[in-house]
Every structure is written in C-alpha cells, then in structure tokens.
C-alpha cells in the first residue's frame, strides 16, 4: 500500500517512505474498516511480505490471487479463511487475537465486493539519495583495496542497493539481509557461523569471504551461470575489481540469491550435496547398518495420515553424526506387503525418503532420495506432498521440493511425532511375530527418549539460527522473501534494477521502440511485468540502455549438474559453459596422492587441489 513520490534534483530522489502505519481514523469508510481488521488481527504475520506471503501494507502483494481477488469475495482467502474455513482458519487458533466478530467479517467481504480499494495513508516524506552503480563499484573497490591482498580472490559481495533505490522500507531490506545470512550459513560446511558484513554507510553492499562457507571459485562460477543480472562494466573501478578477485563478476543481488539458492539445482550445487544417501552418510560418518545392528539407531513409525507429509505410513530414524543428528524418513507408495511397517517393522521396503542432517555449524540441511537412495529434486506427489504444511503459501505447488519446502516445514527444527509401531509390537505375542521382537522394541524407542533427542536437536538448530541474526518463529522468512522477489515489477522497481531513475527509464521506454515492445507493459498506468519475463528480457534492457556487457544465463532446471571447475580469468569477461549433455561429478577440494614408484616424471607426492568437476564415464 506504499505511495511513492518522485522529483529529480541533481542526484536526489525523493521517496514516499512510510515509517509507521497507525491504522485508520475514527470516521471509518468501507476501506478503513477492512484495514482496521488487518491491523487488529493480521499484523503479526502480514505486516511485511517476508512472513505471511503478503502484506496488507504492500497492496500489490495482497491483491494477488488467491489472497484478495477484487470484486470476488468468494474467491478471496481473506474472506474465506477468516470465516473459519474448515481445517484452514485464519487467523490461526493460537494467534494472539484469533476471533473476528461478525461485523469484522462483514467489513472484509464488503471491502472486497467494492473492488478492494487501496487505503491511501498520509506518509512522512523523507529524502533518500539514490546510490549509483558507479558508487557501488567504488565502495567495493575501496573495500578490496583495504583488504589483505592474499584475501581478495576469496571476497564476494551481495547487494540490496536496488531495493534501497526503489524505495523499499528499511524493515523489508533488513529482512533480506537476515535471510541472506541464514541461507548462506545453511549452505556452509564450516563450523562457525559467518554473517555478511556491510561495507557502505547505508548497509546495501554486503561482503563475504567464501572460505567462511567452504566455497571456492567454482562454486561462485556455478552461481553466476544461473544469475540473470550479470552486467559487466567497463569502468576502471570495475576492471580493477574483476582483476583482483580473479572473477568475472564478484557481486550479485541478495534478493535474487535468497529467492533461488534454496531450491534445486542451485541448492544442491552450492551445498555441494552428494548424489546418494550412502555418499552423504560417509561424509557425515554415519553407518546406518551398524547403528541398526548395535541398536543405537532410534525409530518411530506413524500410520497413514499422521506424518503431515507422507501419503502412507512413515518411519523416521535418528542416528548420531559427526555434526549432531542424521534423521532419515522411510516413505511408501502403499501400505501393503513389505510396505506395511506394522507387519514388517524391521524389514520394510521403502519407496523413498527425506534426510535431515546437521551441518557443522548446527543448522539443518536436506536431501530427498528415491528407493535406491539416489538424490532427487522433487518428491513424487503420490508418496509425499506439501498440502498440509501450514507455512505453504496458497499459490505454492503441493510438491515437496528439496531445500526450501523442507525449510518451510522444519522452521523450528525437527517436527514432533508420536510412534505407533511400538504399541502394536507390545500388543503382539512374542512367539506369534515373524520378526525379531526384542530388536524391534529396542529400535522403536519410548516417547520420553525420543523427545529428549528432539529437544536437543531443536536447541542446536534454533541456537544456530539465532547466531545468524534471525529469530525462530512459526514462518520460514525465506519463503516470504522468495514470494516477494517473485512478484511482478512496477516501473519503479524495474528502473531501480536497471540502475536508472524512473523518469529516465520511462523516457527510454517511450523513445526506444525495441524496448517499448519488449517491456512496454511498464508504460501503462499500474502496469507490471512478471518477474520471469523481466529476467528473460533483462539482457535486452542492458543492451538498449547501454548499461554494460551482458552475460547470458541459463535458467535453473531440474537435474542440472555442476559444471567444470574454475579457469583463471585471463582478462576477458566470458562465461564458460559445458558443451553437450555430459553429466559432471564434483570432486571436492582436498589432498591427493600423485605419482608413484613407476612414474618416470615425478615421485609419489601429496598435492592439494581446489574442487573441480569431471565428466562421468
């Protein structure tokens, strides 16, 4: 619901930035009554877009189906769910102020029927100086100049400058800073949490040292291959930055990263996640079969309908790992034969599963596997689905996608569950069952013991989240930030992302027929362009507006594999890509033995190599 005003005076942009929304005045109109309901009942989750998927203070985010469909109350969630839609009420029962009066429900319906007009609120106008691309580059160059020369090749930067220039409120920008910190550390194999450091006065440029996350040049290169906003500048500052970092482009937008790096394939590649459960277990020093044999594994089994995600029975199993806990679920395509966990509690045959494990820093990472234990991007909806996840946005697919879907469900760590298998075992006669009765009882442990594991694992996770600078609540903020990024762009946001003033960008749209035809929807009053279309057309915007040299990107698709390791920048700003349909395997960095007794050139020796990828043959 933000209203922005623009005037150009030198390099000064004036934005209408609301610092406080105090609610409607006493003489309430239909619109004011509706907004008062939002303010009184919905503010905890819907006062910014990073929490509940939409904000009643950001009109464009609220008027996306199915949240609010202007003129159609029976298609609008704010009407349907506040009317206590069965099994899906809003506000939720545990909210501070969950009950709406009939007058309040009527007010929402009347407002939507009237076309859901936006509440125009007087806002304090403050001056905000737009930060130019040249200033961003100077800040990065100065930071690199002040860094130890040996560190420079490892330094990378994330920017929220375009959000600042577009008039985003500080709270929304800060939500991206926190989301960036949490996600980066959720992709790290280091023991210590590392928070990105702001290098400019307005905290719009954030620096990281890739070594703090066990990243290297090949990981950053993989990131750039999927990045749709790679614009290479020919300025002296830019050339110096590219040279000392030995990187084609050592800075990317934080909002794009937060929206994309939690989903496969980037999630898998940046996390350097092994391709099989057995390889992951070896990495984490988990021996599943030995733990089961020695009865140190802990199991619980749930019947169909009780797990919240599995469409059939489910078994969850916990193991100690090198960094905390290793949890694995066993999911089934039906409940008969060896997929019936109550008949076969020890020798069931699963159809797939989900793995949740602690990283060295205590945060959680995730992996979906099929029946063979091979890593997959998306769980089959016939086996698992996301429809019952209270953090799922109404516009989201019910598919369980590795990474973000798991984060949204496990926002507070491992979810609670109640084992039902042990009670079935105890009710049976020891001599009447075909399995090892005592072993089954040893593995399917008591609720008291399981709760102790859950409490300890939850504390480890939540302590680490707080160390990232975030709080642990009921919603995963990265989900809301992804939704906010994915929203259609108006001309204000598009101009800021192009590094131009609104007036200059609008004038270019009018004068340039090619650009007008490509993104001309932005010229229409209230016009917005879909995010995906803007990404596809951004190269054309760069070319027509002479913003620099554009490096094309490859849109992330399922099952994309890691490309070859780094090649040193020879000075040309080129993007290397894999030729042909060759599956690549990541070889992690580490010490290798080369040579040997029969090596005619060199004797056997130890060498250290950066991570690289090699064709699978």
């Amino acid at each position: 619901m933000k209203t922005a005003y623009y005037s150009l005076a030198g390099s000064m942009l004036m934005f209408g930035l609301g610092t406080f929304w105090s609610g409607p005045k006493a003489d309430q109109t239909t619109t004011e009554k509706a907004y008062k309901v939002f303010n009184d009942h919905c503010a905890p989750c819907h006062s910014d877009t990073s929490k509940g998927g939409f904000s009643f203070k950001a009109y464009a985010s609220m008027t996306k189906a199915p949240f609010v469909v202007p003129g159609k109350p029976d298609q609008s969630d704010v009407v349907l769910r506040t009317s206590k839609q069965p099994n899906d009420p809003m506000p939720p029962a545990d909210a501070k102020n969950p009950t709406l009066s009939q007058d309040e429900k009527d007010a929402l319906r009347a407002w939507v029927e009237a076309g859901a007009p936006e509440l125009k609120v007087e806002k304090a106008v403050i001056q905000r100086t737009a930060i130019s691309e040249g200033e961003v580059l100077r800040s990065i160059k100065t930071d690199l100049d002040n860094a130890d020369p040996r560190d420079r090749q490892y330094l990378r930067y994330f920017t929220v400058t375009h959000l600042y220039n577009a008039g985003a409120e500080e709270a929304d920008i800060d939500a991206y800073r926190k989301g960036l910190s949490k996600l980066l550390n959720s992709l790290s194999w280091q023991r210590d949490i590392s928070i990105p450091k702001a290098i400019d006065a307005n905290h719009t440029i954030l620096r990281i040292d890739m070594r703090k996350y066990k990243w290297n040049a090949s990981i950053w290169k993989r990131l750039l291959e999927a990045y749709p906003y790679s614009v290479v500048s020919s300025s002296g500052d830019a050339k110096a930055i590219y040279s000392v970092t030995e990187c084609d482009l050592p800075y990317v937008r934080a909002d794009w990263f937060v929206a994309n790096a939690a989903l496969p394939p980037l999630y898998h590649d940046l996390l350097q996640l092994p391709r099989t459960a057995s390889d992951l277990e070896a990495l984490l020093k988990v021996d599943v079969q030995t733990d089961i044999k020695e009865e140190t594994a802990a199991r619980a089994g749930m019947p169909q309908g009780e797990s919240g995600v599995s469409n059939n029975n489910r078994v969850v199993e916990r193991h100690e790992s090198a960094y905390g806990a290793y949890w694995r679920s066993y999911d089934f395509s039906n409940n008969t034969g060896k997929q019936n966990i109550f008949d076969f509690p020890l020798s069931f045959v699963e159809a797939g599963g989900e793995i949740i494990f602690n990283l060295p820093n205590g945060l959680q990472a995730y992996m979906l596997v099929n029946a063979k234990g091979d890593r997959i991007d998306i769980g089959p909806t016939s086996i698992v689905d996301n429809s019952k996840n209270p953090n799922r946005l109404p516009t989201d697919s019910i598919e369980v996608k590795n990474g973000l879907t798991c984060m949204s469900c496990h926002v507070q760590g491992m979810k609670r569950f109640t084992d039902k298998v042990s009670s079935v075992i105890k009710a049976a006669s020891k001599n009447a069952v075909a399995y090892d009765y005592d072993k089954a009882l040893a593995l399917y442990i008591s609720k008291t013991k399981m709760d102790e594991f859950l409490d300890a694992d939850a504390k480890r996770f939540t302590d680490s989240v707080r160390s990232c600078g975030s709080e642990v609540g009921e919603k995963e903020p990265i989900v809301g930030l992804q939704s906010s990024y994915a929203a259609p762009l108006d001309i204000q946001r598009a101009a800021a992302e192009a590094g131009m003033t609104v007036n200059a960008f609008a004038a270019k749209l009018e004068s340039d027929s090619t650009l007008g035809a490509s993104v001309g929807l932005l010229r229409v009053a209230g016009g917005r362009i879909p995010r995906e279309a803007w990404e596809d057309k951004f190269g054309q915007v760069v070319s027509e507006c002479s913003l620099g040299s554009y490096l094309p990107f490859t849109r992330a698709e399922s099952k994309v594999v890691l490309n070859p390791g780094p090649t040193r920048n020879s000075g040309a700003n080129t993007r290397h890509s894999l030729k042909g349909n060759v599956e690549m395997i990541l070889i992690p960095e580490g010490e290798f033995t080369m040579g040997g007794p029969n090596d005619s050139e060199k004797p056997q020796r130890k060498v250290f190599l950066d991570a690289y990828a090699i064709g699978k043959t």
Side-chain angles (χ1 to χ4, degrees):
M1 61 167 248
K2 232 174 322 201
T3 303
Y5 309 87
Y6 309 91
S7 65
L8 185 62
S11 64
M12 189 70 72
L13 288 176
M14 297 179 64
F15 295 100
L17 299 175
T19 56
F20 183 72
W21 189 84
S22 58
K25 300 176 182 178
D27 54 336
Q28 296 181 355
T29 63
T30 299
T31 298
E32 288 173 333
K33 287 181 180 179
Y35 272 78
K36 186 176 189 307
V37 176
F38 293 139
N39 197 48
D40 290 349
H41 295 276
C42 309
C45 292
H46 295 288
S47 58
D48 71 69
T49 53
S50 70
K51 293 181 181 178
F54 76 87
S55 168
F56 65 90
K57 301 180 185 180
Y59 186 73
S61 75
M62 180 168 60
T63 50
K64 291 193 305 182
F67 305 131
V68 173
V69 182
K72 299 179 180 179
D74 292 326
Q75 296 179 26
S76 302
D77 272 359
V78 298
V79 174
L80 296 175
R81 297 182 70 185
T82 54
S83 297
K84 296 299 177 187
Q85 180 171 303
N87 302 320
D88 195 21
M90 277 292 164
D94 58 354
K96 185 177 180 180
N97 194 8
T99 304
L100 274 65
S101 68
Q102 189 59 49
D103 285 346
E104 288 173 321
K105 297 176 185 178
D106 292 343
L108 290 179
R109 176 172 285 276
W111 171 67
V112 176
E113 284 179 340
E118 181 179 5
L119 180 66
K120 302 296 182 180
V121 181
E122 289 186 11
K123 296 184 175 186
V125 177
I126 63 173
Q127 290 185 339
R128 180 180 279 182
T129 303
I131 302 169
S132 69
E133 181 71 11
E135 290 174 291
V136 171
L137 294 173
R138 281 193 293 276
S139 293
I140 294 175
K141 181 180 182 299
T142 299
D143 188 67
L144 288 165
D145 288 344
N146 292 331
D148 187 318
R150 298 183 66 82
D151 293 338
R152 292 169 182 166
Q153 63 177 307
Y154 303 108
L155 302 184
R156 298 293 185 267
Y157 300 85
F158 293 88
T159 65
V160 288
T161 315
H162 58 292
L163 302 178
Y164 179 92
N165 289 345
E169 299 210 24
E170 176 59 26
D172 291 334
I173 298 175
D174 195 51
Y176 273 109
R177 295 188 191 103
K178 292 176 179 177
L180 174 68
S181 177
K182 182 180 179 183
L183 184 52
L184 280 168
N185 285 287
S186 296
L187 297 167
S188 169
W189 285 94
Q190 292 286 24
R191 286 191 177 274
D192 294 331
I193 297 291
S194 181
I195 298 177
K197 182 176 178 58
I199 66 167
D200 63 319
N202 295 301
H203 293 194
T204 69
I205 309 168
L206 305 163
R207 179 189 68 226
I208 69 166
D209 183 327
M210 293 191 295
R211 295 170 295 184
K212 299 290 187 180
Y213 309 96
K214 276 198 178 293
W215 286 15
N216 55 35
S218 64
I219 298 298
W220 189 263
K221 177 177 176 287
R222 173 67 188 96
L223 181 67
L224 289 182
E225 287 169 350
Y227 185 53
Y229 306 110
S230 292
V231 181
V232 177
S233 170
S234 60
S235 73
D237 285 343
K239 290 179 179 178
I241 291 168
Y242 306 149
S243 176
V244 300
T245 59
E246 303 179 18
C247 180
D248 291 345
L249 195 72
Y251 46 87
V252 299
R253 298 179 185 176
D255 59 338
W256 171 85
F257 178 83
V258 172
N260 288 274
L263 287 168
L266 274 182
Y267 177 73
H268 295 158
D269 295 343
L270 301 182
L271 183 58
Q272 303 165 74
L273 193 64
R275 289 186 172 273
T276 67
S278 58
D279 287 343
L280 176 62
E281 288 159 6
L283 181 64
L284 298 174
K285 295 181 170 52
V286 174
D287 188 331
V288 170
Q289 295 307 315
T290 296
D291 288 352
I292 293 173
K293 178 182 178 181
E294 296 180 352
E295 299 174 0
T296 58
R299 277 185 183 173
M302 291 147 279
Q304 182 178 30
E306 289 196 9
S307 75
V309 62
S310 180
N311 293 325
N312 296 291
N313 297 332
R314 166 174 267 203
V315 170
V316 293
E317 184 175 271
R318 184 189 185 278
H319 301 261
E320 290 290 332
S321 80
Y323 309 120
Y326 175 88
W327 288 89
R328 179 166 180 171
S329 74
Y330 299 95
D331 296 303
F332 306 93
S333 58
N334 61 62
N335 300 307
T336 63
K338 284 218 164 183
Q339 297 195 75
N340 184 339
I341 63 175
F342 297 97
D343 287 345
F344 298 91
L346 298 179
S347 58
F348 52 75
V349 177
E350 73 275 13
E354 173 190 12
I355 296 169
I356 303 175
F357 62 96
N358 285 120
L359 292 164
N361 59 24
L363 292 173
Q364 290 180 171
Y366 309 91
M367 183 168 168
L368 302 180
V369 295
N370 61 19
K372 296 188 295 182
D374 295 332
R375 190 188 77 200
I376 57 176
D377 294 348
I378 300 171
T381 54
S382 60
I383 297 175
V384 290
D385 71 56
N386 194 39
S387 60
K388 296 179 182 178
N389 181 358
N391 291 325
R392 185 180 71 90
L393 300 180
T395 52
D396 287 348
S397 165
I398 66 168
E399 291 178 325
V400 174
K401 300 177 182 177
N402 195 36
L404 187 61
T405 305
C406 306
M407 292 177 188
S408 72
C409 190
H410 295 278
V411 64
Q412 296 176 334
M414 287 299 300
K415 298 180 75 68
R416 299 284 167 167
F417 48 78
T418 300
D419 169 58
K420 296 294 177 64
V421 172
S422 59
S423 59
V424 172
I425 296 171
K426 291 174 183 177
S429 169
K430 184 174 182 178
N431 298 323
V433 297
Y435 52 81
D436 186 329
Y437 184 91
D438 293 327
K439 187 174 190 64
L441 283 181
L443 289 175
Y444 290 86
I445 64 174
S446 70
K447 178 174 174 54
T448 300
K449 290 182 180 179
M450 187 64 82
D451 284 347
E452 288 175 358
F453 284 134
L454 290 169
D455 289 341
D457 294 346
K459 185 178 186 305
R460 181 189 302 110
F461 173 70
T462 56
D463 286 350
S464 296
V465 171
R466 293 188 179 102
S467 296
C468 294
S470 296
E471 285 301 319
V472 178
E474 296 181 356
K475 302 285 185 180
E476 171 51 63
I478 293 174
V479 174
L481 293 171
Q482 185 199 47
S483 177
S484 179
Y485 170 81
L489 292 77
D490 60 13
I491 193 169
Q492 175 188 358
R493 179 69 175 265
E497 295 198 6
M500 303 172 69
T501 67
V502 173
N503 289 340
F505 188 60
K508 187 66 177 177
L509 291 180
E510 290 293 337
S511 64
D512 189 315
S513 59
T514 300
L515 198 59
S518 179
V519 294
L521 184 61
L522 293 170
R523 295 184 298 172
V524 180
R528 286 177 164 79
I529 185 170
R531 170 61 70 179
E532 199 170 58
W534 174 250
E535 289 181 348
D536 283 337
K537 300 294 184 182
F538 191 73
Q540 195 171 57
V541 172
V542 171
S543 176
E544 295 299 314
C545 295
S546 302
L547 302 178
S549 299
Y550 182 69
L551 303 181
F553 76 107
T554 301
R555 188 173 296 283
E557 299 289 350
S558 254
K559 301 180 182 176
V560 170
V561 293
L562 192 64
N563 280 348
T567 55
R568 292 298 185 190
N569 190 343
S570 61
N573 290 306
T574 57
R575 180 170 299 186
H576 307 283
S577 58
L578 191 65
K579 301 295 184 183
N581 186 27
V582 179
E583 183 179 358
M584 307 299 291
I585 296 177
L586 175 67
I587 307 300
E589 65 177 33
E591 192 173 63
F592 296 82
T593 300
M594 297 186 68
N598 299 321
D599 191 329
S600 61
E601 295 184 2
K602 290 184 180 180
Q604 191 173 50
R605 62 212 180 272
K606 297 287 187 180
V607 298
F608 186 88
L609 298 178
D610 287 338
Y612 64 95
I614 190 169
K616 181 178 180 180
T617 61

